[in-house]
Amino acid sequence: MTTRSSLRFLTATAGASLLLASCAVGPKAPDATLPPSASGAFIGAAAPAVTAQAARDDWWRLYDDPVLDGLIGQALTENNELEAAAANLRRVRAALGEARVGRLPGTTTTAAFNTGRPSAATVPGLPPGTEAPETDTYDAGLDVSYEVDLFGRVESTIRAARADAGAAEAALDIVRVTVAAETARAYADACSANAQIAVAERTIELQSNTVDLTQRLLDAGSGNGLDTARSRSALETTRASLPPLRAQRDGALFRLSTLTGRTPAEASEAARACQRPPQLTQPIPVGDGAALLARRPDVRQAERNLAAAAARVNVATADLYPRITLGGSLGATALEADGLGDSENFRFSVGPLISWSFPNVFAARARIEQASAGSDAALATFDQTVLVALQETETALANYANELDRRSALQAARDQAATAARLSRLRFDAGADSFLTVLDAERTLAGADAQLAASDALVTTYQIALFKALAGGWSEG
């Protein structure tokens, strides 16, 4: 075959391979459909504290708190888990680039020099007792190979790698959602602990005044030791609530430091001084089920994992069929370096190579079964991820709405307890009630204040849980 006819053969075969490359084998990807009931309005969307407007990525700005804005901005820049997820995404994208190389011909260039002397016995016509002459050999060449993707193995490998990259990108977005929400939660926990500490300290001040009163009455001979003991017991009980609250605040500050890439010694002084959890002055925009599932990165990750698993079934199936590689080699071999350019020293070869691991068909079918099982597992994971996303959002909506109702009731109870404490003190001063009534009223007021402060903290916690369920924060808004 001449050089020209060989090149025509190679060109024709390559063209035919492009036409046949779309003949991928294996099953189609499983249908990752969403249940119709998942696309409508949320069950909890009727609450007045939320609105059906589209959810926001930069949800923390709804609090209008510059300290919170700065902390979340710092966390999204400095958090170590985010940095690790970003590095993993770069790794997977590099693997995708490697897979795409499979579409291109492989090339190898060679250049070699050899000097040697053969055995005299292998040189015909050499007189006995004569050594064979030493020879130098120079060689340079270019080898080209191209896999004809007749059964879609290469293309399916690229699809799997592309889906892996999409899943890694979604994983990075999941970390962003978590970091934004947990930073806000740690800040809110520190503020809430300070608010509860302030309530306890006000109660301690009130109870200290009561202890002083009972002691003065006892010293004047108009009181009794029982009232003094009861008032001191109430005071010490309230004081005992302070250490756990301080520990809670410090723990929140330390979590906040870790989230923002700082050591505990570098805890935010602004967060330490915060006296009230961040407050919303407008309803939370929540969108609907369709928008939720479109924005939740865990749903997107599950869908991309499903696509990758389905592509790998096709890769495994392609191993049942022959693998065809077109190869060509151009080069020159000469006894002198300046002879490499002479036409008589030119060499070439071209032709297809067919490889088929037919005896290992059972191993190939075992790999197909493994890949198919992985695809089924990925489909089940996708379906479960959709259900969990809806469950988390509806649960967060229910918790938030019901805690708002509870806080309203606690506020009314606290107001009534304050009125009762004031009236009981007036009645005691007028001699109409015993001091036990005053103590009971003050104890009730202290409990109501503590419950209301704890409910304020829960309201903010449930708000942040709702924002996290809505997947806010994965784009920086």
Side-chain angles (χ1 to χ4, degrees):
M1 184 181 291
T2 65
T3 302
R4 183 172 296 175
S5 62
S6 297
L7 292 175
R8 282 200 299 268
F9 169 77
L10 181 60
T11 303
T13 307
S17 71
L18 293 176
L19 294 175
L20 294 172
S22 61
C23 302
V25 294
K28 293 183 178 179
D31 189 11
T33 56
L34 301 175
S37 59
S39 300
F42 297 117
I43 296 172
V50 300
T51 174
Q53 293 178 357
R56 288 179 56 167
D57 290 334
D58 58 343
W59 52 266
W60 53 88
R61 292 194 172 93
L62 295 173
Y63 287 105
D64 194 22
D65 187 329
V67 174
L68 177 59
D69 293 346
L71 289 169
I72 291 184
Q74 182 179 346
L76 292 177
T77 303
E78 304 293 338
N79 184 268
N80 292 308
E81 291 183 0
L82 265 176
E83 185 176 347
N88 184 62
L89 176 58
R90 293 196 303 272
R91 178 186 63 81
V92 177
R93 282 177 173 169
L96 172 59
E98 180 183 5
R100 283 173 172 161
V101 173
R103 289 173 172 162
L104 305 175
T107 59
T108 304
T109 58
T110 59
F113 165 74
N114 291 292
T115 183
R117 183 181 66 190
S119 168
T122 63
V123 180
L126 191 68
T130 305
E131 293 182 349
E134 294 184 1
T135 58
D136 295 337
T137 303
Y138 297 85
D139 185 89
L142 172 66
D143 297 328
V144 180
S145 64
Y146 174 72
E147 180 178 345
V148 181
D149 197 20
L150 187 61
F151 301 104
R153 187 192 70 83
V154 173
E155 194 60 33
S156 295
T157 300
I158 294 172
R159 286 204 314 273
R162 186 183 299 118
D164 286 339
E169 184 177 354
L172 174 60
D173 294 339
I174 291 172
V175 178
R176 283 195 179 115
V177 170
T178 302
V179 167
E182 292 307 314
T183 300
R185 193 195 308 273
Y187 172 68
D189 285 350
C191 297
S192 297
N194 278 335
Q196 293 177 74
I197 289 171
V199 168
E201 288 175 343
R202 288 196 300 271
T203 302
I204 288 172
E205 182 180 3
L206 174 64
Q207 291 175 335
S208 296
N209 293 335
T210 301
V211 169
D212 291 342
L213 173 62
T214 58
Q215 186 63 49
R216 286 197 304 271
L217 292 174
L218 180 62
D219 293 343
S222 58
N224 60 75
L226 180 59
D227 289 344
T228 302
R230 284 171 173 167
S231 62
R232 289 188 182 279
S233 174
L235 172 61
E236 296 305 322
T237 299
T238 304
R239 281 178 175 162
S241 69
L242 282 176
L245 292 173
R246 290 174 180 142
Q248 179 181 325
R249 177 197 58 198
D250 291 344
L253 290 171
F254 299 153
R255 291 200 330 267
L256 186 59
S257 297
T258 301
L259 286 162
T260 54
R262 300 291 187 268
T263 65
E266 301 172 292
S268 169
E269 291 302 322
R272 185 182 296 276
C274 175
Q275 295 297 315
R276 185 186 184 192
Q279 304 292 310
L280 284 178
T281 58
Q282 57 185 295
I284 296 177
V286 297
D288 57 18
L292 169 74
L293 298 178
R295 65 188 280 113
R296 287 269 301 212
D298 56 341
V299 173
R300 181 156 43 88
Q301 181 187 41
E303 187 275 329
R304 290 289 79 203
N305 285 335
L306 175 58
R312 289 190 172 94
V313 175
N314 291 338
V315 173
T317 304
D319 287 339
L320 289 174
Y321 301 92
R323 187 175 299 184
I324 301 174
T325 303
L326 301 179
S329 176
L330 300 172
T333 304
L335 298 179
E336 300 289 342
D338 56 4
L340 290 174
D342 297 341
S343 59
E344 65 271 17
N345 294 329
F346 175 75
R347 59 176 172 78
F348 77 91
S349 65
V350 62
L353 171 66
I354 299 177
S355 59
W356 191 5
S357 57
F358 182 79
N360 285 330
V361 65
F362 295 108
R365 291 194 180 279
R367 289 193 294 271
I368 293 172
E369 183 62 27
Q370 293 176 47
S372 297
S375 180
D376 291 342
L379 178 59
T381 299
F382 173 81
D383 291 340
Q384 180 68 7
T385 303
V386 169
L387 295 178
V388 169
L390 295 169
Q391 171 210 320
E392 287 179 353
T393 305
E394 293 288 7
T395 300
L397 283 166
N399 286 340
Y400 179 44
N402 284 284
E403 190 59 35
L404 286 175
D405 291 342
R406 177 173 176 267
R407 184 175 67 174
S408 296
L410 287 173
Q411 181 65 60
R414 189 269 169 201
D415 292 343
Q416 293 299 316
T419 300
R422 180 177 56 83
L423 293 176
S424 65
R425 178 61 65 95
L426 291 174
R427 289 176 61 82
F428 172 75
D429 292 342
D433 273 337
S434 69
F435 190 72
L436 182 60
T437 303
V438 175
L439 284 177
D440 184 62
E442 289 183 350
R443 188 182 298 111
T444 301
L445 176 59
D449 279 334
Q451 284 187 307
L452 182 58
S455 181
D456 283 337
L458 269 180
V459 165
T460 304
T461 296
Y462 288 146
Q463 286 171 354
I464 295 170
L466 177 55
F467 286 126
K468 183 180 180 181
L470 294 170
W474 63 265
S475 69
E476 296 184 24

